[in-house]
Amino acid sequence: MKTLETKSMVLLHHHLKALRLPTIGAEAEKVAAQAATDNADHLTYLLRLCELELLEREKRAAERRLKAARFPTFKSLDTFDFTARPSVNKMLITELARCDFIDKRENVLLVGNPGTGKSHLATALAAAACGRGYKVRFFRATELITTLIEARDERTFLRVKNQLAKLDLLVLDELGYVPASKVGAELLFDVISTAYERTSMIVTTNLPFESWTEVLGSERLTGATLDRLTHRCRIIETKGESYRLHDAKTRTRRTRHPETLANTTAPTPD
Ligand code: ADP
Ligand code: MG
């Protein structure tokens, strides 16, 4: 009996490997013991195993999508302090994190001064999209422009464009920090117009619309870019001072006036 069981187990693991069901292989015995304790029938046992396999598969796929998105730093909505940024509507951000805007091919534009949480929110929303099965890629605008210029020179432009076309969500961070060259601006426009109504975009910028010509060069190109980007678009303004500055100021106040902190935390004497 023992040898038969061992032989069956070896065969089972072999078949599961061939069928690419590693989690079922790893969990089969443990779940069988649990099923015996619970008096669960065969179908319930099979169902539990399939659920575990599916969960693990989804987890690994989400991890792969997060890696493929190439976020410079990982940020989530859990760590975003909405009280520190009242101009940002928490309800709207929570709704965007459900990703309906991606199905509707809408865009999100985050506008505000440096340090006001634009990249944080863009990354957090894009990471939520990875978790929901969407294909995402994060680029700093200058990085994308450089990639496109290099691809054009190396004649791999179509390949890069095909990769971009496969995405569900393209994040363009820091549009406007560095003025683009004429070629760069045209290539960027090409990406934006190709994505228009096909791929959602999240764009972050420190520039008010009237200054975009300084970055993109020609007024015609700026007009056409803004037209495509802002059609069916949620605009979120991150008004106020830099979070880092605010953080630093709070820390300085605490070191300068430690008694303020001590007074609030120390127990009051009788
Ligand atoms: P921006 O892209 O607007 O220049 P970032 O998103 O890079 O700003 O924010 C700068 C730093 O401050 C990051 O480390 C970010 O996580 C943090 N930060 C900004 N706003 C908030 C906030 N409201 N809550 C928590 N952290 C924040
Ligand atoms: Mg940023």
Side-chain angles (χ1 to χ4, degrees), residues 196-231:
Y196 177 61
E197 291 195 329
R198 265 184 260 177
T199 311
S200 285
M201 286 196 284
I202 300 182
V203 176
T204 84
T205 181
N206 59 327
L207 285 182
F209 292 148
E210 55 275 18
S211 313
W212 279 46
T213 318
E214 291 160 31
V215 172
L216 295 176
S218 93
E219 263 182 39
R220 183 189 53 84
L221 202 63
T222 307
T225 306
L226 277 176
D227 184 51
R228 280 157 184 76
L229 212 55
T230 55
H231 180 220

Side-chain angles (χ1 to χ4, degrees), residues 139-158:
F139 283 102
R140 287 214 174 84
T142 46
E143 182 195 350
L144 178 63
I145 292 174
T146 312
T147 306
L148 292 169
I149 291 178
E150 282 173 5
R152 198 191 55 149
D153 294 345
E154 290 165 15
R155 298 174 195 279
T156 52
F157 192 64
L158 267 182

Side-chain angles (χ1 to χ4, degrees), residues 5 34 47 74 78 134 157 161 192 196 203 205 244 268:
E5 266 181 25
Q34 187 59 47
L47 177 66
F74 181 79
D78 299 340
Y134 295 98
F157 192 64
K161 291 242 331 173
I192 292 173
Y196 177 61
V203 176
T205 181
R244 284 180 281 238
T268 37

Side-chain angles (χ1 to χ4, degrees), residues 37-93:
T37 322
D38 301 348
N39 253 336
D41 59 18
H42 296 92
L43 285 178
T44 310
Y45 170 63
L46 186 60
L47 177 66
R48 283 182 190 171
L49 282 180
C50 290
E51 275 171 353
L52 287 176
E53 183 70 50
L54 261 183
L55 277 177
E56 187 58 30
R57 220 173 254 201
E58 277 163 17
K59 196 175 123 216
R60 277 201 309 270
E63 281 165 6
R64 273 200 302 277
R65 283 192 295 271
L66 274 179
K67 210 166 156 218
R70 307 222 204 148
F71 298 118
T73 43
F74 181 79
K75 300 280 175 186
S76 73
L77 286 183
D78 299 340
T79 56
F80 192 81
D81 179 3
F82 284 91
T83 49
R85 191 66 56 203
S87 77
V88 173
N89 181 339
K90 187 176 179 180
M91 289 256 283
L92 172 63
I93 300 292

Side-chain angles (χ1 to χ4, degrees), residues 75 79-81 113-120 243-244:
K75 300 280 175 186
T79 56
F80 192 81
D81 179 3
N113 286 331
T116 51
K118 302 182 297 296
S119 300
H120 187 135
Y243 187 81
R244 284 180 281 238

Side-chain angles (χ1 to χ4, degrees), residues 117-131:
K118 302 182 297 296
S119 300
H120 187 135
L121 287 170
T123 308
L125 288 176
C130 290

